[in-house]
Amino acid sequence: MDGFDLLVINGLVVTASDTANYDIAIKDGKIALLAPPGVLGTSSAKRVIDAEGGYVMPGGIDCHVHLEEPALFGGKGRSSDNFETGTRSSICGGTTTIVAFAPQAKTIPSLLQVLEDTQARAKDNCYTDYSFHMLVGHPGEQALSEFPRLRELGISSLKIYMTYAALQLRDDQILDVLLASRKEGITTMIHAENGDVLTWMTKKLEERKLYAPKYHATSRPQIVETEATNRAIALAELMDAPILVVHVSSPSAAAHLRNAQTRGLPVYAETCPQYLFLTQADLDKPGFEGAKCVCSPPPRESAHDHDAIWIGLANGTFTVLSSDHCPFMYEDYEKGKKSIISEEYPEGRFSGIPNGCPGIETRLALTLSANRLPLQKFVEVTSTNAARLYGLYPQKGTILPGVSDADLTIWYPPGKLGTFKLTNSMLHHNVDYTPFEGMELNQWPRYTILRGEVVWDRDGGGLLGKKGYGKFVARGKSTLPGPRQAGEWDVSVF
Ligand code: URP
Ligand code: ZN
Ligand code: ZN
């Protein structure tokens, strides 16, 4: 066999369904062939990567990424990563495809307009392949009527909020979105926290002058997330619509999700490294440092909570493990985590801290280094299931000859690299901190390959990808189980 652009030989190929030794041949950006080691030879390939001793996996897919977003979350903060810096950071950490948000403020009636504006910001700027979820802040008549056109344009998912004044939807608005989504085969992502309750709790804390970052967690205990998760499931069941509850932090919320799944509902769940590695103690770091770990839902109480989330990943409660990369500078008094430090609040105030943590580059290495998931499960939750749920499969998320894009990440087992401490200086995002600073890792991608091009070579120049190589990917319907079949439950009456 000859004429290949790239051969990856001698690696242990790990997909969500199989682990075996194969050589991989790549041509024109696609996986061309998989063959037992040695069968393909090497003489006529333009380039050969010897992955002896390494794992070869589908490139990571991160389906929860905020880039270049305006200040929607309570009017606080501005994303410090744009499409260029965010996707640059992504490939250096092994993620080859991202799905970012196209955010609709309450003042904008048209989702198509929002999509066009977001497309323009991303175009020619990305290092990874990319798509968008609509972030629906104003589900009025116009926005809902645009769902069929959004599907034609390759957008098959959206996110809605049960909190944040600028975005929070009432239950009747949530039903509107679920019904319209169901009709068009769109998956609805839901941020499940009870906004009214946490606003009330925040007011009470502030009346007592309890302003420090650690009170961010006090203002939104697990029950705030659990109640909203349960309500989201109930509303989805009522409309027989598939949902994914995003960034789940709470074991009790996870238990409700598992229960819904056991009842056969198309209810999916996402968690993030914040909820596997950070705790409330991180919000109580000296000075205002705790602000670095302020995200919503907040990191939970202890390692017991982490254990429950790891179990949920292993047993399938969680469909995906995303980063929720939401980048803000720390040392920025106008747009960053310290923006709330002012004359009025010289020591800062938790309710003014922009919510969200960076993590697009660290998601895969942190998770693999923890060594708490079987390798196939790791691939499933960090790549394959995202492709299935968001309509990218099998172009993305697997290694199928003749079908899949040649998006690969090559790793070496722990020990080969040794252990090292993560520092922000290693990362390629435009953020002046990582919440995971100092954590011990034993994994980092050796190579990242996007559509056959080596875009990251840890020991051979680092970042090799080019801005603008990343392409928009039009997405189809979810290939995970969807609504029940006609006859089981009839929503046509609505
Ligand atoms: O704190 C978080 N998660 N910030 C990002 C915005 C969101 O809700 O995903
Ligand atoms: Zn959210
Ligand atoms: Zn988010």
Side-chain angles (χ1 to χ4, degrees):
M1 296 255 182
D2 59 6
F4 297 119
D5 298 325
L6 176 64
L7 285 176
V8 178
I9 61 169
N10 298 325
L12 185 68
V13 177
V14 184
T15 66
S17 55
D18 295 292
T19 303
N21 283 99
Y22 284 117
D23 291 350
I24 302 176
I26 293 166
K27 189 162 176 66
D28 298 332
K30 291 276 185 192
I31 303 291
L33 282 175
L34 257 63
V39 170
L40 297 173
T42 54
S43 55
S44 58
K46 288 189 195 137
R47 179 172 179 189
V48 177
I49 291 178
D50 189 347
E52 174 76 46
Y55 310 133
V56 184
M57 297 178 173
I61 301 177
D62 194 343
C63 46
H64 192 145
V65 172
H66 301 265
L67 297 174
E68 230 167 315
E69 286 184 10
L72 283 177
F73 306 106
K76 299 171 284 188
R78 293 280 186 292
S79 312
S80 58
D81 271 319
N82 55 23
F83 280 93
E84 176 183 345
T85 61
T87 58
R88 176 183 73 196
S89 182
S90 177
I91 54 169
C92 301
T95 292
T96 46
T97 301
I98 62 144
V99 188
F101 293 100
Q104 179 201 29
K106 281 196 166 148
T107 48
I108 307 176
S110 169
L111 289 171
L112 292 172
Q113 184 62 56
V114 169
L115 179 63
E116 195 181 315
D117 294 348
T118 312
Q119 285 273 22
R121 288 199 287 275
K123 192 170 179 319
D124 301 327
N125 283 322
C126 290
Y127 286 78
T128 59
D129 283 355
Y130 61 94
S131 181
F132 306 104
H133 312 286
M134 300 313 299
L135 194 164
V136 179
H138 176 39
E141 237 174 76
Q142 177 167 1
L144 296 173
S145 73
E146 291 172 344
F147 280 21
R149 181 68 188 138
L150 288 170
R151 284 286 284 105
E152 285 168 12
L153 295 171
I155 305 298
S156 53
S157 52
L158 56 83
K159 180 179 177 190
I160 55 175
Y161 285 78
M162 299 169 87
T163 182
Y164 293 124
L167 296 163
Q168 183 174 339
L169 302 188
R170 300 184 310 268
D171 289 357
D172 62 313
Q173 293 176 300
I174 295 176
L175 291 178
D176 282 342
V177 172
L178 290 170
L179 187 61
S181 298
R182 183 199 191 284
K183 285 183 182 153
E184 296 307 322
I186 289 175
T187 299
T188 302
M189 307 157 80
I190 304 189
H191 179 136
E193 288 185 294
N194 185 320
D196 294 352
V197 172
L198 66 88
T199 303
W200 184 88
M201 295 191 75
T202 301
K203 191 165 144 267
K204 290 289 173 200
L205 289 165
E206 296 204 332
E207 278 167 13
R208 294 174 56 199
K209 303 205 178 321
L210 299 174
Y211 294 133
K214 68 177 176 182
Y215 294 110
H216 173 71
T218 320
S219 73
R220 41 188 88 205
Q222 294 204 23
I223 190 72
V224 169
E225 182 184 1
T226 305
E227 182 280 328
T229 302
N230 199 29
R231 184 156 39 100
I233 293 167
L235 297 176
E237 183 170 5
L238 207 53
M239 287 298 108
D240 192 19
I243 57 165
L244 171 115
V245 179
V246 290
H247 45 50
V248 175
S249 70
S250 153
S252 64
H256 281 280
L257 291 158
R258 181 120 185 109
N259 182 273
Q261 292 162 353
T262 306
R263 290 193 295 120
L265 300 175
V267 167
Y268 300 99
E270 172 197 81
T271 192
C272 312
Q274 296 80 298
Y275 309 119
L276 298 171
F277 299 108
L278 302 180
T279 65
Q280 282 183 15
D282 291 294
L283 297 174
D284 198 17
K285 288 192 172 143
F288 206 59
E289 290 272 313
K292 292 179 176 175
C293 299
V294 165
C295 55
S296 289
R300 293 302 177 190
E301 285 79 352
S302 73
H304 293 299
D305 298 297
H306 296 169
D307 289 345
I309 303 298
W310 280 111
I311 288 169
L313 280 165
N315 71 16
T317 305
F318 293 107
T319 320
V320 287
L321 173 70
S322 313
S323 68
D324 192 6
H325 180 76
C326 194
F328 301 103
M329 286 290 183
Y330 178 62
E331 295 285 352
D332 182 334
Y333 287 84
E334 275 183 26
K335 296 178 289 209
K337 291 277 189 179
K338 282 187 168 176
S339 61
I340 193 59
I341 297 181
S342 60
E343 269 178 36
E344 198 186 353
Y345 298 105
E347 282 165 25
R349 190 168 61 116
F350 77 84
S351 65
I353 300 167
N355 288 195
C357 298
I360 202 167
E361 191 169 346
T362 47
R363 173 183 70 123
L364 298 175
L366 279 170
T367 310
L368 207 48
S369 292
N371 197 24
R372 291 184 65 158
L373 295 176
L375 290 179
Q376 286 183 206
K377 180 53 89 171
F378 169 80
V379 172
E380 185 182 309
V381 296
T382 59
S383 177
T384 312
N385 274 353
R388 290 175 175 147
L389 183 67
Y390 295 117
L392 290 162
Y393 190 86
Q395 180 187 350
K396 304 285 187 190
T398 191
I399 307 178
L400 266 185
V403 177
S404 302
D405 286 352
D407 300 348
L408 302 171
T409 306
I410 303 177
W411 307 81
Y412 287 94
K416 197 128 179 166
L417 189 59
T419 51
F420 61 96
K421 275 197 193 316
L422 176 67
T423 62
N424 193 53
S425 58
M426 294 167 49
L427 303 179
H428 300 78
H429 56 191
N430 184 41
V431 188
D432 55 1
Y433 78 96
T434 165
F436 308 109
E437 182 81 28
M439 279 190 54
E440 292 241 321
L441 301 184
N442 53 47
Q443 291 278 4
W444 200 264
R446 171 68 174 84
Y447 296 99
T448 309
I449 297 169
L450 173 58
R451 282 182 279 106
E453 292 293 320
V454 177
V455 290
W456 166 256
D457 179 348
R458 193 188 66 220
D459 302 338
L463 173 67
L464 303 179
K466 297 273 175 294
K467 165 180 144 171
Y469 179 64
K471 280 204 254 185
F472 173 75
V473 195
R475 294 182 291 121
K477 269 192 190 177
S478 168
T479 52
L480 291 179
R484 284 165 285 183
Q485 298 305 304
E488 289 182 63
W489 179 248
D490 188 2
V491 291
S492 60
V493 64
F494 305 115

